[in-house]
Each structure stands twice: as C-alpha cells, then as structure tokens.
C-alpha cells in the first residue's frame, strides 16, 4: 500500500509542477510584453506553447509581437491559429479584418465583419470603423 501512495504522490507533484510551469511562462511572458520587451516575451510565449499547444492567448500575443516587427506572414499564421482554437476571439478577428483590409481582400473583410458582429462584446464600437474603412478602400480602388 505504501508504494501505491508514493506513486500517487509522485504523479501529483509532477502534474502540479507542470501546470505551475505553464502558467508561470504565460504570466512572465505577458509581463515582459507589457514592458515592451518583445523579443524576450516572444521566447516565453513560444515556450508556453510547447507545454500548452492549445493556449490561444499565447498565439494572440505572438501575433501582436510579429505585428510590431512588421512580420505579416507570422502575424497572420498566429491569428489564424488563435481563431482555430477560439473562433469567438474578437481581438484576433479584428486583427485579421485589419490585415485583410490592408491587403484589399474586401470579400474576406465582409465575411469576417459579419462574424465579428455576432461575436463582439467589448470591441463592438469597431464595427462602424470597419465598415467605413471598407467603403473608403473600395472607393479608392474604383477611382
């Protein structure tokens, strides 16, 4: 019976340490991100993804970091991963709409705007801005 208890205790300690490490990487990475230390935070967000590959927040922060580096390809890849894991993530949806507007992909912007209106809770004030930018961009392309 005592061997069984030892095994249970070992498993409990290992799983507790793993969950603490996962949370610790994300929190530390977010703190660095908030201080503008993007390179260091990028490493920790990537490390967090190794331990928790379904953490949509880490992918979203990586997309924000790549946006500051003007790395559109990696930004889009991480936004898409965020939306794959959390289809209702309005921050990621807004970032993707913005990216598609810059690329003049108006069909995709209209599609995403419809979804955005359904899921928005804190960024609903951006809907009018999206529509206005879409209309202005289409008008520029026609002239």
């Amino acid at each position: 019976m005592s061997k069984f208890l030892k095994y249970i205790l070992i498993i409990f300690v290992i799983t507790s340490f793993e969950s603490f490490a996962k949370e610790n990487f994300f929190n530390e990475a977010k703190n660095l991100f908030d201080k503008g230390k993007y390179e260091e935070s990028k490493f920790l967000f990537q490390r967090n993804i190794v331990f928790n590959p379904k953490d949509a927040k880490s992918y979203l922060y990586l997309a924000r970091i790549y946006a500051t580096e003007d790395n559109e390809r990696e930004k889009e890849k991480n936004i898409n991963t965020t939306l794959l894991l959390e289809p209702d993530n309005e921050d990621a949806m807004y970032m993707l709409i913005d990216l598609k507007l810059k690329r003049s992909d108006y069909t995709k912007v209209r599609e995403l705007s419809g979804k955005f209106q359904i899921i928005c809770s804190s960024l609903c004030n951006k809907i009018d801005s999206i529509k206005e930018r879409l209309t202005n961009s289409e008008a520029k392309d026609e002239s």
Side-chain angles (χ1 to χ4, degrees):
M1 186 69 168
S2 73
K3 283 185 180 182
F4 178 72
L5 289 176
K6 285 181 186 178
Y7 289 127
I8 297 293
L9 181 63
I10 290 171
I11 291 171
F12 176 75
V13 169
I14 290 172
T15 56
S16 296
F17 177 74
E18 256 184 54
S19 65
F20 174 74
K22 289 177 195 174
E23 190 63 33
N24 195 27
F25 286 134
F26 180 81
N27 290 336
E28 190 175 341
K30 186 174 178 324
N31 288 336
L32 289 169
F33 178 86
D34 292 340
K35 293 176 184 175
K37 297 180 179 181
Y38 300 125
E39 233 8 81
E40 295 170 45
S41 66
K42 179 173 33 171
F43 173 74
L44 289 177
F45 283 125
Q46 290 169 337
R47 196 168 181 185
N48 188 54
I49 289 169
V50 169
F51 286 104
N52 188 6
K54 294 182 180 179
D55 183 23
K57 292 183 288 185
S58 290
Y59 290 104
L60 183 62
Y61 276 97
L62 282 172
R64 291 176 178 158
I65 291 168
Y66 288 121
T68 65
E69 297 174 352
D70 293 325
N71 187 338
E72 297 292 317
R73 185 176 182 190
E74 289 298 317
K75 175 184 170 183
E76 184 174 18
K77 191 165 63 170
N78 282 282
I79 291 170
N80 286 331
T81 304
T82 302
L83 289 171
L84 181 67
L85 296 170
E86 278 183 13
D88 293 344
N89 189 310
E90 65 183 314
D91 289 326
M93 183 73 71
Y94 182 73
M95 289 175 71
L96 187 58
I97 290 169
D98 188 53
L99 187 65
K100 295 299 182 181
L101 269 171
K102 288 178 184 173
R103 292 183 180 166
S104 302
D105 189 352
Y106 305 129
T107 306
K108 189 70 173 175
V109 170
R110 279 190 210 88
E111 176 191 327
L112 293 171
S113 295
K115 291 178 185 177
F116 185 73
Q117 283 182 301
I118 294 168
I119 66 169
C120 78
S121 60
S122 63
L123 296 176
C124 292
N125 59 337
K126 303 281 187 181
I127 293 170
D128 291 334
S129 165
I130 292 168
K131 289 178 182 177
E132 184 179 326
R133 288 175 58 202
L134 179 61
T135 304
N136 291 342
S137 297
E138 287 177 328
K140 284 180 188 176
D141 285 352
E142 288 177 2
S143 41

